[in-house]
Amino acid sequence: MHWPQALTADGRALAPHESPTFVETWEMMEKLVEAARRMSVSPAQVMLSWGVQRGTAVIPKTVHEDRMRQNLQLVTLSDDDMYVLNELHKKPGMHRSLCGFHSSELGGSCFGWTYEMLGWDMIQGGVMRDRE
């Protein structure tokens, strides 16, 4: 699993100590890790279980046989665990584009398509605008 990384408006990655949302983000991720420890499974198994339990088609990717086995061993999450995982994306800096190329010349775009053309409410660098 990869921990989220905060970005500046121009797309530069911030060091954890520079990010105003790092502590809050880490606390949410710690809740994921705590749930995994409590159920004696990996954080990935918790996230896969969350996706399946909420009715999402989940397609895990791995080339490691042991992880393939783990990916098939899902757990039933409590209502509290589901609530915490459902809220993760609402934390500042947690939602951003997976597009590998963002152009600053067009005021923010992904491979030539502006964020507006794509229907994305993002700031330059592919980071979702904070909704307050």
Side-chain angles (χ1 to χ4, degrees):
M1 292 190 66
H2 301 283
W3 299 115
Q5 190 171 28
L7 300 176
T8 62
D10 65 357
R12 181 181 66 84
L14 291 175
H17 67 278
E18 294 179 296
S19 172
T21 63
F22 177 77
V23 171
E24 189 174 55
T25 300
W26 183 255
E27 287 171 356
M28 289 301 288
M29 288 302 178
E30 278 298 302
K31 291 179 183 185
L32 167 64
V33 172
E34 287 171 16
R37 285 187 187 132
R38 189 174 62 253
M39 292 180 266
S40 300
V41 297
S42 71
Q45 285 172 283
V46 171
M47 292 306 296
L48 290 170
S49 298
W50 167 77
V52 170
Q53 197 165 321
R54 65 189 293 266
T56 306
V58 177
I59 305 172
K61 180 220 169 268
T62 185
V63 297
H64 303 283
E65 190 174 332
D66 60 323
R67 291 185 192 151
M68 287 180 198
R69 283 193 198 97
Q70 282 183 352
N71 290 344
L72 295 172
Q73 298 169 350
L74 302 180
V75 295
T76 301
L77 301 171
S78 70
D79 289 343
D80 289 340
D81 290 331
M82 288 296 291
Y83 176 80
V84 168
L85 297 175
N86 284 335
E87 297 297 304
L88 276 178
H89 76 283
K90 294 181 181 177
K91 294 296 176 186
M94 291 293 292
H95 188 96
R96 63 181 60 98
S97 167
L98 297 176
C99 176
F101 176 76
H102 290 273
S103 170
S104 58
E105 294 173 4
L106 298 173
S109 71
C110 182
F111 293 106
W113 293 82
T114 65
Y115 299 150
E116 185 177 286
M117 292 165 75
L118 293 166
W120 297 349
D121 188 18
M122 294 185 167
I123 60 173
Q124 198 168 338
V127 178
M128 286 298 293
R129 249 179 250 289
D130 287 337
R131 305 233 184 227
E132 309 237 359

Coordinates of all heavy atoms in Angstrom, one line a residue, residues 59-127:
I59 N -10.9 -5.2 -8.4 CA -10.0 -6.0 -9.2 C -8.6 -5.7 -8.6 O -7.9 -4.8 -9.0 CB -10.0 -5.6 -10.7 CG1 -11.5 -5.7 -11.2 CG2 -9.1 -6.4 -11.5 CD1 -11.7 -5.1 -12.6
P60 N -8.1 -6.6 -7.7 CA -6.8 -6.4 -7.1 C -5.7 -6.8 -8.1 O -6.0 -7.7 -9.0 CB -6.8 -7.3 -5.9 CG -7.8 -8.4 -6.2 CD -8.8 -7.7 -7.1
K61 N -4.6 -6.2 -8.0 CA -3.4 -6.5 -8.9 C -2.2 -6.9 -8.0 O -1.9 -6.2 -7.1 CB -3.1 -5.3 -9.7 CG -1.9 -5.6 -10.7 CD -1.0 -4.4 -10.7 CE 0.3 -4.7 -11.4 NZ 1.3 -5.1 -10.5
T62 N -1.7 -8.1 -8.3 CA -0.5 -8.5 -7.7 C 0.1 -9.6 -8.6 O -0.6 -10.3 -9.3 CB -0.7 -9.0 -6.3 OG1 0.6 -9.3 -5.7 CG2 -1.5 -10.2 -6.2
V63 N 1.4 -9.8 -8.5 CA 2.1 -10.9 -9.1 C 2.6 -11.9 -8.1 O 3.2 -12.9 -8.4 CB 3.3 -10.4 -10.0 CG1 2.7 -9.6 -11.2 CG2 4.3 -9.6 -9.2
H64 N 2.4 -11.6 -6.8 CA 2.9 -12.4 -5.7 C 1.8 -13.4 -5.3 O 0.7 -13.0 -4.9 CB 3.3 -11.5 -4.5 CG 4.3 -10.5 -4.9 ND1 5.6 -10.8 -5.1 CD2 4.2 -9.2 -5.2 CE1 6.3 -9.7 -5.4 NE2 5.4 -8.7 -5.5
E65 N 2.2 -14.7 -5.3 CA 1.2 -15.7 -5.0 C 0.6 -15.6 -3.6 O -0.6 -15.8 -3.5 CB 1.9 -17.1 -5.2 CG 0.9 -18.3 -5.1 CD 1.6 -19.6 -5.4 OE1 2.6 -19.6 -6.2 OE2 1.1 -20.6 -4.9
D66 N 1.4 -15.2 -2.6 CA 0.9 -15.1 -1.3 C -0.1 -14.0 -1.2 O -1.1 -14.1 -0.5 CB 2.0 -14.9 -0.3 CG 2.9 -13.7 -0.5 OD1 3.1 -13.3 -1.7 OD2 3.3 -13.0 0.4
R67 N 0.1 -12.9 -1.9 CA -0.9 -11.8 -1.9 C -2.2 -12.2 -2.7 O -3.3 -11.8 -2.3 CB -0.3 -10.6 -2.5 CG 0.8 -10.0 -1.6 CD 1.3 -8.7 -2.1 NE 2.5 -8.2 -1.4 CZ 3.4 -7.5 -1.9 NH1 3.3 -7.1 -3.1 NH2 4.4 -7.2 -1.2
M68 N -2.0 -13.0 -3.7 CA -3.2 -13.5 -4.4 C -4.1 -14.3 -3.5 O -5.3 -14.1 -3.5 CB -2.8 -14.4 -5.6 CG -2.2 -13.6 -6.8 SD -1.7 -14.8 -8.1 CE -0.6 -13.8 -9.0
R69 N -3.5 -15.1 -2.7 CA -4.2 -15.9 -1.7 C -4.9 -15.0 -0.7 O -6.1 -15.1 -0.4 CB -3.3 -16.9 -1.0 CG -3.0 -18.1 -1.8 CD -2.4 -19.2 -0.9 NE -1.7 -20.2 -1.7 CZ -0.4 -20.2 -2.0 NH1 0.4 -19.3 -1.5 NH2 0.1 -21.1 -2.8
Q70 N -4.1 -14.0 -0.2 CA -4.7 -13.0 0.8 C -5.9 -12.3 0.2 O -6.9 -12.0 0.9 CB -3.6 -12.0 1.2 CG -2.7 -12.5 2.2 CD -1.7 -11.4 2.6 OE1 -1.7 -10.3 2.0 NE2 -0.9 -11.7 3.6
N71 N -5.8 -11.9 -1.1 CA -6.8 -11.1 -1.7 C -8.2 -11.9 -1.8 O -9.2 -11.3 -2.0 CB -6.4 -10.7 -3.2 CG -5.3 -9.7 -3.2 OD1 -5.0 -9.1 -2.2 ND2 -4.6 -9.5 -4.3
L72 N -8.1 -13.2 -1.7 CA -9.3 -14.0 -1.7 C -9.9 -14.2 -0.3 O -11.0 -14.7 -0.2 CB -9.0 -15.4 -2.3 CG -8.6 -15.4 -3.8 CD1 -8.2 -16.8 -4.3 CD2 -9.8 -14.9 -4.7
Q73 N -9.2 -13.9 0.7 CA -9.6 -14.1 2.1 C -10.1 -12.7 2.6 O -9.4 -12.0 3.3 CB -8.5 -14.6 2.9 CG -7.9 -15.9 2.5 CD -6.6 -16.3 3.2 OE1 -6.0 -15.5 3.9 NE2 -6.2 -17.5 3.0
L74 N -11.4 -12.5 2.4 CA -12.0 -11.3 2.8 C -12.6 -11.4 4.2 O -12.8 -12.5 4.7 CB -13.1 -10.9 1.8 CG -12.7 -10.7 0.4 CD1 -13.8 -10.3 -0.5 CD2 -11.5 -9.7 0.3
V75 N -12.9 -10.3 4.9 CA -13.4 -10.3 6.2 C -14.7 -9.4 6.2 O -14.9 -8.6 5.3 CB -12.4 -9.7 7.2 CG1 -11.2 -10.6 7.4 CG2 -12.0 -8.3 6.8
T76 N -15.5 -9.6 7.2 CA -16.7 -8.8 7.3 C -16.4 -7.6 8.3 O -16.0 -7.8 9.4 CB -17.9 -9.6 7.9 OG1 -18.2 -10.7 7.1 CG2 -19.1 -8.8 8.1
L77 N -16.6 -6.4 7.7 CA -16.2 -5.2 8.5 C -17.5 -4.8 9.3 O -18.6 -4.9 8.9 CB -15.8 -4.1 7.6 CG -14.6 -4.5 6.7 CD1 -14.4 -3.4 5.7 CD2 -13.3 -4.6 7.6
S78 N -17.2 -4.2 10.5 CA -18.3 -3.6 11.3 C -18.8 -2.3 10.7 O -18.1 -1.8 9.8 CB -17.7 -3.3 12.7 OG -16.8 -2.2 12.6
D79 N -19.9 -1.9 11.1 CA -20.5 -0.6 10.7 C -19.5 0.5 10.9 O -19.4 1.4 10.1 CB -21.8 -0.3 11.3 CG -22.9 -1.3 10.8 OD1 -22.8 -1.9 9.7 OD2 -24.0 -1.4 11.5
D80 N -18.8 0.5 12.1 CA -17.9 1.5 12.4 C -16.7 1.5 11.5 O -16.3 2.6 11.0 CB -17.4 1.4 13.9 CG -18.4 1.7 14.9 OD1 -19.4 2.4 14.6 OD2 -18.3 1.2 16.1
D81 N -16.2 0.3 11.2 CA -15.1 0.2 10.2 C -15.5 0.7 8.8 O -14.8 1.5 8.2 CB -14.6 -1.2 10.1 CG -13.9 -1.7 11.3 OD1 -13.3 -0.9 12.0 OD2 -13.9 -2.9 11.6
M82 N -16.7 0.4 8.4 CA -17.2 0.8 7.1 C -17.3 2.4 7.1 O -16.9 3.0 6.1 CB -18.6 0.2 6.8 CG -18.5 -1.3 6.5 SD -17.6 -1.7 5.0 CE -18.7 -1.0 3.7
Y83 N -17.8 2.9 8.2 CA -17.9 4.4 8.2 C -16.6 5.1 8.1 O -16.4 6.0 7.3 CB -18.6 4.8 9.6 CG -18.6 6.3 9.7 CD1 -19.6 7.0 9.0 CD2 -17.7 7.0 10.4 CE1 -19.7 8.4 9.1 CE2 -17.7 8.4 10.5 CZ -18.7 9.1 9.9 OH -18.8 10.5 10.0
V84 N -15.6 4.6 8.8 CA -14.2 5.2 8.7 C -13.7 5.1 7.3 O -13.1 6.1 6.8 CB -13.2 4.5 9.7 CG1 -11.8 4.8 9.5 CG2 -13.6 4.8 11.2
L85 N -13.8 3.9 6.7 CA -13.3 3.8 5.3 C -14.1 4.6 4.3 O -13.5 5.1 3.4 CB -13.3 2.3 5.0 CG -12.3 1.4 5.8 CD1 -12.5 -0.1 5.5 CD2 -10.9 1.9 5.7
N86 N -15.4 4.7 4.5 CA -16.2 5.5 3.6 C -15.8 7.0 3.7 O -16.0 7.7 2.7 CB -17.7 5.4 4.0 CG -18.3 4.0 3.5 OD1 -17.8 3.4 2.6 ND2 -19.3 3.6 4.2
E87 N -15.3 7.4 4.8 CA -14.9 8.8 5.0 C -13.5 9.2 4.6 O -13.1 10.3 4.5 CB -15.1 9.2 6.5 CG -16.6 9.1 7.0 CD -17.5 10.0 6.2 OE1 -17.2 11.2 6.2 OE2 -18.5 9.5 5.7
L88 N -12.7 8.2 4.3 CA -11.3 8.4 4.0 C -11.1 9.4 2.9 O -10.2 10.3 2.9 CB -10.5 7.1 3.6 CG -10.0 6.3 4.7 CD1 -9.4 5.0 4.1 CD2 -9.0 7.0 5.6
H89 N -11.9 9.3 1.8 CA -11.7 10.1 0.6 C -12.1 11.6 0.9 O -11.7 12.5 0.1 CB -12.5 9.6 -0.5 CG -14.0 9.9 -0.4 ND1 -14.8 9.2 0.4 CD2 -14.7 10.8 -1.0 CE1 -16.0 9.6 0.3 NE2 -16.0 10.7 -0.5
K90 N -12.7 11.9 2.0 CA -13.1 13.3 2.2 C -12.1 14.1 2.9 O -12.2 15.3 3.0 CB -14.4 13.3 3.1 CG -15.6 12.7 2.4 CD -16.8 12.7 3.3 CE -18.0 12.1 2.7 NZ -19.2 12.0 3.5
K91 N -11.0 13.5 3.3 CA -9.9 14.2 3.9 C -9.1 15.0 2.8 O -8.9 14.5 1.7 CB -8.9 13.2 4.6 CG -9.5 12.5 5.8 CD -9.9 13.5 6.9 CE -10.7 12.9 8.0 NZ -11.1 13.9 8.9
P92 N -8.7 16.2 3.2 CA -8.0 17.0 2.2 C -6.7 16.3 1.7 O -6.0 15.7 2.4 CB -7.6 18.3 3.0 CG -8.5 18.3 4.1 CD -8.9 16.9 4.4
G93 N -6.5 16.4 0.4 CA -5.4 15.8 -0.3 C -5.5 14.4 -0.6 O -4.6 13.8 -1.2
M94 N -6.6 13.7 -0.3 CA -6.7 12.3 -0.5 C -7.2 11.9 -1.9 O -7.2 10.8 -2.3 CB -7.7 11.7 0.6 CG -7.1 11.7 2.0 SD -5.7 10.6 2.2 CE -6.5 9.0 2.0
H95 N -7.8 12.9 -2.6 CA -8.4 12.5 -3.9 C -7.7 13.3 -5.0 O -7.7 14.6 -5.0 CB -9.9 12.9 -3.9 CG -10.6 12.4 -5.1 ND1 -11.3 11.2 -5.1 CD2 -10.7 12.9 -6.3 CE1 -11.8 11.0 -6.3 NE2 -11.5 12.1 -7.1
R96 N -7.0 12.6 -5.9 CA -6.3 13.3 -7.0 C -6.3 12.4 -8.2 O -6.6 11.2 -8.1 CB -4.9 13.6 -6.6 CG -4.0 12.5 -6.2 CD -2.6 12.9 -5.9 NE -2.6 13.8 -4.7 CZ -2.4 13.4 -3.5 NH1 -2.1 12.2 -3.2 NH2 -2.4 14.2 -2.5
S97 N -6.0 13.0 -9.3 CA -6.0 12.2 -10.6 C -4.9 11.2 -10.6 O -3.8 11.4 -10.1 CB -5.9 13.3 -11.7 OG -5.6 12.6 -12.9
L98 N -5.2 10.1 -11.3 CA -4.2 9.1 -11.6 C -3.4 9.4 -12.9 O -2.5 8.7 -13.2 CB -4.8 7.7 -11.6 CG -5.5 7.3 -10.3 CD1 -6.1 5.9 -10.5 CD2 -4.5 7.2 -9.2
C99 N -3.9 10.4 -13.6 CA -3.2 10.8 -14.8 C -1.7 11.1 -14.6 O -1.4 11.9 -13.6 CB -3.9 12.0 -15.4 SG -3.2 12.7 -16.9
G100 N -0.8 10.5 -15.3 CA 0.6 10.7 -15.1 C 1.2 12.0 -15.6 O 2.3 12.4 -15.4
F101 N 0.4 12.8 -16.4 CA 0.9 14.0 -17.0 C -0.1 15.1 -16.8 O -1.2 15.0 -17.4 CB 1.2 13.8 -18.5 CG 1.7 15.1 -19.2 CD1 2.9 15.6 -19.0 CD2 0.8 15.8 -19.9 CE1 3.3 16.7 -19.6 CE2 1.2 17.0 -20.5 CZ 2.5 17.5 -20.4
H102 N 0.3 16.1 -16.1 CA -0.6 17.3 -15.9 C 0.1 18.5 -16.5 O 1.2 18.9 -16.0 CB -0.9 17.5 -14.5 CG -1.9 16.4 -14.0 ND1 -3.2 16.5 -14.1 CD2 -1.6 15.2 -13.4 CE1 -3.8 15.5 -13.6 NE2 -2.8 14.7 -13.1
S103 N -0.5 19.2 -17.4 CA 0.1 20.4 -18.1 C -0.3 21.7 -17.3 O -1.5 21.9 -17.2 CB -0.3 20.5 -19.5 OG 0.1 21.7 -20.1
S104 N 0.7 22.5 -16.9 CA 0.4 23.7 -16.3 C 0.2 24.8 -17.4 O -0.4 25.8 -17.1 CB 1.6 24.2 -15.4 OG 2.8 24.2 -16.1
E105 N 0.6 24.6 -18.6 CA 0.5 25.5 -19.7 C -1.0 25.8 -20.0 O -1.4 26.9 -20.4 CB 1.2 25.1 -20.9 CG 2.7 25.0 -20.8 CD 3.4 24.4 -22.0 OE1 2.7 24.1 -23.0 OE2 4.6 24.2 -21.9
L106 N -1.8 24.8 -19.8 CA -3.3 25.0 -20.1 C -4.1 25.2 -18.9 O -5.3 25.1 -18.8 CB -3.8 23.7 -20.8 CG -3.2 23.4 -22.1 CD1 -3.6 22.0 -22.6 CD2 -3.5 24.5 -23.2
G107 N -3.4 25.6 -17.8 CA -4.1 25.9 -16.5 C -4.5 24.7 -15.8 O -5.4 24.7 -15.0
G108 N -3.9 23.6 -16.2 CA -4.3 22.3 -15.6 C -5.0 21.4 -16.6 O -6.1 21.7 -17.1
S109 N -4.3 20.3 -17.0 CA -4.9 19.4 -18.0 C -4.3 18.1 -17.8 O -3.3 17.9 -17.2 CB -4.7 19.9 -19.4 OG -3.4 19.8 -19.8
C110 N -4.9 17.1 -18.5 CA -4.4 15.7 -18.5 C -4.3 15.3 -19.9 O -5.4 15.1 -20.6 CB -5.4 14.8 -17.7 SG -4.9 13.1 -17.6
F111 N -3.1 15.2 -20.4 CA -2.9 14.8 -21.8 C -3.6 15.7 -22.8 O -4.2 15.2 -23.8 CB -3.2 13.4 -22.1 CG -2.2 12.4 -21.3 CD1 -2.7 11.7 -20.2 CD2 -0.9 12.3 -21.8 CE1 -1.8 10.9 -19.5 CE2 0.0 11.5 -21.1 CZ -0.5 10.8 -20.0
G112 N -3.7 17.0 -22.5 CA -4.3 18.0 -23.5 C -5.7 18.3 -23.2 O -6.3 19.2 -23.7
W113 N -6.4 17.4 -22.4 CA -7.8 17.7 -22.1 C -7.8 18.5 -20.8 O -7.2 18.1 -19.8 CB -8.5 16.4 -21.8 CG -8.7 15.5 -23.0 CD1 -7.8 14.7 -23.5 CD2 -9.8 15.5 -23.9 NE1 -8.3 14.1 -24.7 CE2 -9.5 14.5 -24.9 CE3 -11.1 16.1 -23.8 CZ2 -10.4 14.2 -25.9 CZ3 -12.0 15.8 -24.8 CH2 -11.6 14.8 -25.8
T114 N -8.5 19.7 -20.8 CA -8.5 20.5 -19.6 C -9.4 19.8 -18.6 O -10.2 18.9 -18.9 CB -9.1 21.9 -19.9 OG1 -10.5 21.7 -20.3 CG2 -8.3 22.6 -21.0
Y115 N -9.2 20.1 -17.3 CA -10.0 19.6 -16.3 C -11.5 19.8 -16.5 O -12.3 19.0 -16.3 CB -9.6 20.1 -14.9 CG -8.1 19.8 -14.5 CD1 -7.4 20.6 -13.7 CD2 -7.5 18.6 -15.0 CE1 -6.1 20.3 -13.4 CE2 -6.2 18.3 -14.6 CZ -5.5 19.2 -13.8 OH -4.2 18.9 -13.5
E116 N -11.8 21.0 -17.0 CA -13.2 21.4 -17.2 C -13.8 20.5 -18.3 O -14.9 20.0 -18.2 CB -13.2 22.9 -17.7 CG -14.7 23.4 -17.9 CD -14.7 24.8 -18.2 OE1 -14.5 25.6 -17.3 OE2 -15.0 25.1 -19.4
M117 N -13.0 20.2 -19.4 CA -13.5 19.4 -20.5 C -13.8 18.0 -19.9 O -14.7 17.3 -20.4 CB -12.5 19.3 -21.6 CG -12.3 20.6 -22.4 SD -10.8 20.7 -23.4 CE -11.3 19.6 -24.7
L118 N -13.0 17.5 -19.0 CA -13.1 16.2 -18.4 C -14.2 16.1 -17.3 O -14.6 15.1 -16.8 CB -11.8 15.7 -17.8 CG -10.7 15.4 -18.9 CD1 -9.3 15.3 -18.2 CD2 -11.0 14.2 -19.7
G119 N -14.7 17.3 -16.9 CA -15.7 17.4 -15.8 C -15.1 17.2 -14.5 O -15.8 16.8 -13.5
W120 N -13.8 17.5 -14.3 CA -13.1 17.3 -13.1 C -13.0 18.6 -12.4 O -12.5 19.6 -12.9 CB -11.7 16.8 -13.3 CG -11.6 15.4 -13.9 CD1 -12.6 14.5 -14.1 CD2 -10.4 14.8 -14.4 NE1 -12.2 13.4 -14.7 CE2 -10.8 13.5 -14.9 CE3 -9.1 15.1 -14.5 CZ2 -9.9 12.6 -15.4 CZ3 -8.2 14.2 -15.0 CH2 -8.6 13.0 -15.5
D121 N -13.3 18.7 -11.1 CA -13.2 19.9 -10.3 C -11.8 19.9 -9.6 O -11.8 19.5 -8.4 CB -14.3 20.0 -9.3 CG -14.3 21.4 -8.6 OD1 -13.7 22.3 -9.1 OD2 -15.0 21.4 -7.5
M122 N -10.8 20.1 -10.3 CA -9.4 20.0 -9.8 C -8.6 21.3 -9.9 O -8.9 22.1 -10.8 CB -8.6 18.9 -10.6 CG -9.2 17.6 -10.4 SD -8.1 16.3 -11.2 CE -8.8 14.9 -10.5
I123 N -7.6 21.4 -9.1 CA -6.7 22.5 -9.2 C -5.5 22.0 -10.0 O -5.3 20.8 -10.2 CB -6.3 23.1 -7.8 CG1 -5.6 22.0 -7.0 CG2 -7.5 23.7 -7.1 CD1 -5.0 22.5 -5.7
Q124 N -4.6 22.9 -10.4 CA -3.5 22.5 -11.1 C -2.7 21.4 -10.4 O -2.5 21.5 -9.2 CB -2.6 23.7 -11.4 CG -1.6 23.6 -12.5 CD -1.0 24.9 -12.8 OE1 -1.5 26.0 -12.6 NE2 0.2 24.9 -13.4
G125 N -2.3 20.4 -11.2 CA -1.5 19.3 -10.6 C -2.4 18.0 -10.4 O -1.9 17.0 -10.0
G126 N -3.7 18.2 -10.7 CA -4.6 17.0 -10.6 C -5.1 16.7 -9.2 O -5.5 15.6 -8.9
V127 N -5.1 17.7 -8.3 CA -5.6 17.6 -6.9 C -7.1 18.1 -6.9 O -7.3 19.2 -7.3 CB -4.7 18.3 -5.9 CG1 -5.3 18.1 -4.5 CG2 -3.3 17.8 -6.0

